[in-house]
Amino acid sequence: NAGVTQTPKFRILKIGQSMTLQCTQDMNHNYMYWYRQDPGMGLKLIYYSVGAGITDKGEVPNGYNVSRSTTEDFPLRLELAAPSQTSVYFCASSGTVYEQYFGPGTRLTVT
Amino acid sequence: AQSVTQPDIHITVSEGASLELRCNYSYGATPYLFWYVQSPGQGLQLLLKYFSGDTLVQGIKGFEAEFKRSQSSFNLRKPSVHWSDAAEYFCAVGSAGETSYDKVIFGPGTSLSVIP
């Protein structure tokens, strides 16, 4: 099993551009999450999903959108990128809510 | 509101020395508690978890943690640190939220350096 995979690993965006961060899991987990990690701030939840077709906002959803059309995939969309979205983004999944498995992350820079 | 604090931003220990990383939480009921480790450039990996029962829990890589309700703490320990333990460590608490989603709240992390 590959676990949770994320693409791309690195990306540089210009202000105002848009992009999609991809996340796929092969563990048949119902729960999936997107976090951002900023230095000294821990992880902040952006969006989560409890199953295909069901998504909801986390702590810091502004500027992001998600969709969950399949159990495996949970892409994160950034519209009109801003410097404040420079961060490391982690996707995670879990079969139960608490035991989360993380992908390797995407390092995004907006300039 | 639930919260997690890790008082130590950065800790340096010598290889072979013992280690204790501190974690305090704020939560009204019995929490679900976790420690995750993040190696450089990697995602987070679950080290251990506490749900109920024995307050001393064993995890992977020789780590253990003790839940102390009276102190609202869940400190991580290792008797002898290896150079490969250098990483970022995150304490987390699972809370039953007001919505249908039971969420996990992460602390800010403690960075561990190991001196050969």
Side-chain angles (χ1 to χ4, degrees), chain A residues 49-65:
Chain A
S49 170
V50 300
I54 307 170
T55 63
D56 207 347
K57 297 177 181 178
E59 294 177 80
V60 290
N62 292 343
Y64 307 95
N65 276 299

mmCIF file with all atom_site columns, all heavy atoms in Angstrom, chain A residues 49-65:
data_model
loop_
_atom_site.group_PDB
_atom_site.id
_atom_site.type_symbol
_atom_site.label_atom_id
_atom_site.label_alt_id
_atom_site.label_comp_id
_atom_site.label_asym_id
_atom_site.label_entity_id
_atom_site.label_seq_id
_atom_site.pdbx_PDB_ins_code
_atom_site.Cartn_x
_atom_site.Cartn_y
_atom_site.Cartn_z
_atom_site.occupancy
_atom_site.B_iso_or_equiv
_atom_site.pdbx_formal_charge
_atom_site.auth_seq_id
_atom_site.auth_comp_id
_atom_site.auth_asym_id
_atom_site.auth_atom_id
_atom_site.pdbx_PDB_model_num
ATOM 1   N N   . SER A 1 49 ? -13.410 15.724 5.292  1.00 0.00 ? 49 SER A N   1
ATOM 2   C CA  . SER A 1 49 ? -14.496 14.985 4.639  1.00 0.00 ? 49 SER A CA  1
ATOM 3   C C   . SER A 1 49 ? -14.738 13.698 5.416  1.00 0.00 ? 49 SER A C   1
ATOM 4   O O   . SER A 1 49 ? -13.782 13.022 5.805  1.00 0.00 ? 49 SER A O   1
ATOM 5   C CB  . SER A 1 49 ? -14.119 14.675 3.192  1.00 0.00 ? 49 SER A CB  1
ATOM 6   O OG  . SER A 1 49 ? -15.037 13.771 2.627  1.00 0.00 ? 49 SER A OG  1
ATOM 7   N N   . VAL A 1 50 ? -16.007 13.379 5.614  1.00 0.00 ? 50 VAL A N   1
ATOM 8   C CA  . VAL A 1 50 ? -16.333 12.148 6.345  1.00 0.00 ? 50 VAL A CA  1
ATOM 9   C C   . VAL A 1 50 ? -16.767 11.032 5.398  1.00 0.00 ? 50 VAL A C   1
ATOM 10  O O   . VAL A 1 50 ? -17.122 9.938  5.851  1.00 0.00 ? 50 VAL A O   1
ATOM 11  C CB  . VAL A 1 50 ? -17.410 12.394 7.420  1.00 0.00 ? 50 VAL A CB  1
ATOM 12  C CG1 . VAL A 1 50 ? -16.912 13.429 8.424  1.00 0.00 ? 50 VAL A CG1 1
ATOM 13  C CG2 . VAL A 1 50 ? -18.713 12.834 6.797  1.00 0.00 ? 50 VAL A CG2 1
ATOM 14  N N   . GLY A 1 51 ? -16.720 11.326 4.099  1.00 0.00 ? 51 GLY A N   1
ATOM 15  C CA  . GLY A 1 51 ? -17.071 10.315 3.112  1.00 0.00 ? 51 GLY A CA  1
ATOM 16  C C   . GLY A 1 51 ? -17.271 10.968 1.767  1.00 0.00 ? 51 GLY A C   1
ATOM 17  O O   . GLY A 1 51 ? -17.340 12.206 1.662  1.00 0.00 ? 51 GLY A O   1
ATOM 18  N N   . ALA A 1 52 ? -17.354 10.154 0.741  1.00 0.00 ? 52 ALA A N   1
ATOM 19  C CA  . ALA A 1 52 ? -17.537 10.691 -0.608 1.00 0.00 ? 52 ALA A CA  1
ATOM 20  C C   . ALA A 1 52 ? -18.782 11.558 -0.664 1.00 0.00 ? 52 ALA A C   1
ATOM 21  O O   . ALA A 1 52 ? -19.848 11.171 -0.169 1.00 0.00 ? 52 ALA A O   1
ATOM 22  C CB  . ALA A 1 52 ? -17.635 9.543  -1.613 1.00 0.00 ? 52 ALA A CB  1
ATOM 23  N N   . GLY A 1 53 ? -18.633 12.740 -1.224 1.00 0.00 ? 53 GLY A N   1
ATOM 24  C CA  . GLY A 1 53 ? -19.741 13.675 -1.368 1.00 0.00 ? 53 GLY A CA  1
ATOM 25  C C   . GLY A 1 53 ? -20.007 14.551 -0.165 1.00 0.00 ? 53 GLY A C   1
ATOM 26  O O   . GLY A 1 53 ? -20.892 15.412 -0.206 1.00 0.00 ? 53 GLY A O   1
ATOM 27  N N   . ILE A 1 54 ? -19.241 14.358 0.927  1.00 0.00 ? 54 ILE A N   1
ATOM 28  C CA  . ILE A 1 54 ? -19.489 15.117 2.162  1.00 0.00 ? 54 ILE A CA  1
ATOM 29  C C   . ILE A 1 54 ? -18.202 15.816 2.591  1.00 0.00 ? 54 ILE A C   1
ATOM 30  O O   . ILE A 1 54 ? -17.203 15.165 2.893  1.00 0.00 ? 54 ILE A O   1
ATOM 31  C CB  . ILE A 1 54 ? -19.952 14.193 3.306  1.00 0.00 ? 54 ILE A CB  1
ATOM 32  C CG1 . ILE A 1 54 ? -21.147 13.356 2.873  1.00 0.00 ? 54 ILE A CG1 1
ATOM 33  C CG2 . ILE A 1 54 ? -20.290 15.020 4.551  1.00 0.00 ? 54 ILE A CG2 1
ATOM 34  C CD1 . ILE A 1 54 ? -21.512 12.269 3.847  1.00 0.00 ? 54 ILE A CD1 1
ATOM 35  N N   . THR A 1 55 ? -18.259 17.141 2.611  1.00 0.00 ? 55 THR A N   1
ATOM 36  C CA  . THR A 1 55 ? -17.104 17.917 3.061  1.00 0.00 ? 55 THR A CA  1
ATOM 37  C C   . THR A 1 55 ? -17.579 19.016 4.003  1.00 0.00 ? 55 THR A C   1
ATOM 38  O O   . THR A 1 55 ? -18.750 19.396 3.984  1.00 0.00 ? 55 THR A O   1
ATOM 39  C CB  . THR A 1 55 ? -16.349 18.560 1.884  1.00 0.00 ? 55 THR A CB  1
ATOM 40  O OG1 . THR A 1 55 ? -17.209 19.495 1.222  1.00 0.00 ? 55 THR A OG1 1
ATOM 41  C CG2 . THR A 1 55 ? -15.886 17.513 0.889  1.00 0.00 ? 55 THR A CG2 1
ATOM 42  N N   . ASP A 1 56 ? -16.648 19.524 4.800  1.00 0.00 ? 56 ASP A N   1
ATOM 43  C CA  . ASP A 1 56 ? -16.999 20.613 5.702  1.00 0.00 ? 56 ASP A CA  1
ATOM 44  C C   . ASP A 1 56 ? -15.748 21.408 6.038  1.00 0.00 ? 56 ASP A C   1
ATOM 45  O O   . ASP A 1 56 ? -14.626 20.924 5.892  1.00 0.00 ? 56 ASP A O   1
ATOM 46  C CB  . ASP A 1 56 ? -17.657 20.097 6.971  1.00 0.00 ? 56 ASP A CB  1
ATOM 47  C CG  . ASP A 1 56 ? -18.593 21.124 7.601  1.00 0.00 ? 56 ASP A CG  1
ATOM 48  O OD1 . ASP A 1 56 ? -18.540 22.319 7.204  1.00 0.00 ? 56 ASP A OD1 1
ATOM 49  O OD2 . ASP A 1 56 ? -19.366 20.745 8.496  1.00 0.00 ? 56 ASP A OD2 1
ATOM 50  N N   . LYS A 1 57 ? -15.993 22.643 6.503  1.00 0.00 ? 57 LYS A N   1
ATOM 51  C CA  . LYS A 1 57 ? -14.897 23.550 6.807  1.00 0.00 ? 57 LYS A CA  1
ATOM 52  C C   . LYS A 1 57 ? -14.248 23.201 8.135  1.00 0.00 ? 57 LYS A C   1
ATOM 53  O O   . LYS A 1 57 ? -14.900 22.763 9.068  1.00 0.00 ? 57 LYS A O   1
ATOM 54  C CB  . LYS A 1 57 ? -15.428 24.987 6.865  1.00 0.00 ? 57 LYS A CB  1
ATOM 55  C CG  . LYS A 1 57 ? -15.999 25.486 5.559  1.00 0.00 ? 57 LYS A CG  1
ATOM 56  C CD  . LYS A 1 57 ? -16.579 26.885 5.720  1.00 0.00 ? 57 LYS A CD  1
ATOM 57  C CE  . LYS A 1 57 ? -17.174 27.369 4.397  1.00 0.00 ? 57 LYS A CE  1
ATOM 58  N NZ  . LYS A 1 57 ? -17.779 28.718 4.537  1.00 0.00 ? 57 LYS A NZ  1
ATOM 59  N N   . GLY A 1 58 ? -12.925 23.466 8.177  1.00 0.00 ? 58 GLY A N   1
ATOM 60  C CA  . GLY A 1 58 ? -12.189 23.367 9.416  1.00 0.00 ? 58 GLY A CA  1
ATOM 61  C C   . GLY A 1 58 ? -11.968 24.745 10.008 1.00 0.00 ? 58 GLY A C   1
ATOM 62  O O   . GLY A 1 58 ? -12.803 25.634 9.878  1.00 0.00 ? 58 GLY A O   1
ATOM 63  N N   . GLU A 1 59 ? -10.785 24.917 10.626 1.00 0.00 ? 59 GLU A N   1
ATOM 64  C CA  . GLU A 1 59 ? -10.481 26.187 11.290 1.00 0.00 ? 59 GLU A CA  1
ATOM 65  C C   . GLU A 1 59 ? -10.184 27.323 10.321 1.00 0.00 ? 59 GLU A C   1
ATOM 66  O O   . GLU A 1 59 ? -10.503 28.479 10.588 1.00 0.00 ? 59 GLU A O   1
ATOM 67  C CB  . GLU A 1 59 ? -9.235  26.017 12.173 1.00 0.00 ? 59 GLU A CB  1
ATOM 68  C CG  . GLU A 1 59 ? -9.374  25.104 13.353 1.00 0.00 ? 59 GLU A CG  1
ATOM 69  C CD  . GLU A 1 59 ? -8.041  25.004 14.071 1.00 0.00 ? 59 GLU A CD  1
ATOM 70  O OE1 . GLU A 1 59 ? -7.712  25.915 14.849 1.00 0.00 ? 59 GLU A OE1 1
ATOM 71  O OE2 . GLU A 1 59 ? -7.306  24.027 13.821 1.00 0.00 ? 59 GLU A OE2 1
ATOM 72  N N   . VAL A 1 60 ? -9.494  27.015 9.211  1.00 0.00 ? 60 VAL A N   1
ATOM 73  C CA  . VAL A 1 60 ? -8.970  28.062 8.328  1.00 0.00 ? 60 VAL A CA  1
ATOM 74  C C   . VAL A 1 60 ? -9.340  27.795 6.878  1.00 0.00 ? 60 VAL A C   1
ATOM 75  O O   . VAL A 1 60 ? -8.487  27.622 6.013  1.00 0.00 ? 60 VAL A O   1
ATOM 76  C CB  . VAL A 1 60 ? -7.433  28.192 8.502  1.00 0.00 ? 60 VAL A CB  1
ATOM 77  C CG1 . VAL A 1 60 ? -7.078  28.778 9.850  1.00 0.00 ? 60 VAL A CG1 1
ATOM 78  C CG2 . VAL A 1 60 ? -6.754  26.845 8.309  1.00 0.00 ? 60 VAL A CG2 1
ATOM 79  N N   . PRO A 1 61 ? -10.622 27.821 6.507  1.00 0.00 ? 61 PRO A N   1
ATOM 80  C CA  . PRO A 1 61 ? -11.035 27.441 5.158  1.00 0.00 ? 61 PRO A CA  1
ATOM 81  C C   . PRO A 1 61 ? -10.960 28.549 4.110  1.00 0.00 ? 61 PRO A C   1
ATOM 82  O O   . PRO A 1 61 ? -11.039 28.259 2.904  1.00 0.00 ? 61 PRO A O   1
ATOM 83  C CB  . PRO A 1 61 ? -12.492 27.046 5.374  1.00 0.00 ? 61 PRO A CB  1
ATOM 84  C CG  . PRO A 1 61 ? -12.947 27.950 6.476  1.00 0.00 ? 61 PRO A CG  1
ATOM 85  C CD  . PRO A 1 61 ? -11.750 28.086 7.394  1.00 0.00 ? 61 PRO A CD  1
ATOM 86  N N   . ASN A 1 62 ? -10.808 29.804 4.542  1.00 0.00 ? 62 ASN A N   1
ATOM 87  C CA  . ASN A 1 62 ? -10.902 30.912 3.585  1.00 0.00 ? 62 ASN A CA  1
ATOM 88  C C   . ASN A 1 62 ? -9.802  30.846 2.539  1.00 0.00 ? 62 ASN A C   1
ATOM 89  O O   . ASN A 1 62 ? -8.622  30.711 2.862  1.00 0.00 ? 62 ASN A O   1
ATOM 90  C CB  . ASN A 1 62 ? -10.843 32.253 4.324  1.00 0.00 ? 62 ASN A CB  1
ATOM 91  C CG  . ASN A 1 62 ? -12.082 32.488 5.163  1.00 0.00 ? 62 ASN A CG  1
ATOM 92  O OD1 . ASN A 1 62 ? -13.100 31.833 4.978  1.00 0.00 ? 62 ASN A OD1 1
ATOM 93  N ND2 . ASN A 1 62 ? -12.001 33.408 6.108  1.00 0.00 ? 62 ASN A ND2 1
ATOM 94  N N   . GLY A 1 63 ? -10.205 30.953 1.281  1.00 0.00 ? 63 GLY A N   1
ATOM 95  C CA  . GLY A 1 63 ? -9.256  30.919 0.175  1.00 0.00 ? 63 GLY A CA  1
ATOM 96  C C   . GLY A 1 63 ? -9.057  29.532 -0.414 1.00 0.00 ? 63 GLY A C   1
ATOM 97  O O   . GLY A 1 63 ? -8.261  29.372 -1.340 1.00 0.00 ? 63 GLY A O   1
ATOM 98  N N   . TYR A 1 64 ? -9.757  28.557 0.131  1.00 0.00 ? 64 TYR A N   1
ATOM 99  C CA  . TYR A 1 64 ? -9.612  27.175 -0.311 1.00 0.00 ? 64 TYR A CA  1
ATOM 100 C C   . TYR A 1 64 ? -10.971 26.559 -0.627 1.00 0.00 ? 64 TYR A C   1
ATOM 101 O O   . TYR A 1 64 ? -11.988 26.985 -0.097 1.00 0.00 ? 64 TYR A O   1
ATOM 102 C CB  . TYR A 1 64 ? -8.958  26.323 0.777  1.00 0.00 ? 64 TYR A CB  1
ATOM 103 C CG  . TYR A 1 64 ? -7.659  26.858 1.317  1.00 0.00 ? 64 TYR A CG  1
ATOM 104 C CD1 . TYR A 1 64 ? -7.646  27.642 2.469  1.00 0.00 ? 64 TYR A CD1 1
ATOM 105 C CD2 . TYR A 1 64 ? -6.445  26.574 0.691  1.00 0.00 ? 64 TYR A CD2 1
ATOM 106 C CE1 . TYR A 1 64 ? -6.462  28.142 2.971  1.00 0.00 ? 64 TYR A CE1 1
ATOM 107 C CE2 . TYR A 1 64 ? -5.255  27.068 1.196  1.00 0.00 ? 64 TYR A CE2 1
ATOM 108 C CZ  . TYR A 1 64 ? -5.279  27.853 2.341  1.00 0.00 ? 64 TYR A CZ  1
ATOM 109 O OH  . TYR A 1 64 ? -4.100  28.348 2.842  1.00 0.00 ? 64 TYR A OH  1
ATOM 110 N N   . ASN A 1 65 ? -10.933 25.531 -1.466 1.00 0.00 ? 65 ASN A N   1
ATOM 111 C CA  . ASN A 1 65 ? -12.124 24.730 -1.727 1.00 0.00 ? 65 ASN A CA  1
ATOM 112 C C   . ASN A 1 65 ? -11.721 23.280 -1.885 1.00 0.00 ? 65 ASN A C   1
ATOM 113 O O   . ASN A 1 65 ? -10.584 22.983 -2.275 1.00 0.00 ? 65 ASN A O   1
ATOM 114 C CB  . ASN A 1 65 ? -12.849 25.192 -2.993 1.00 0.00 ? 65 ASN A CB  1
ATOM 115 C CG  . ASN A 1 65 ? -13.772 26.355 -2.711 1.00 0.00 ? 65 ASN A CG  1
ATOM 116 O OD1 . ASN A 1 65 ? -14.703 26.238 -1.918 1.00 0.00 ? 65 ASN A OD1 1
ATOM 117 N ND2 . ASN A 1 65 ? -13.515 27.472 -3.349 1.00 0.00 ? 65 ASN A ND2 1
#
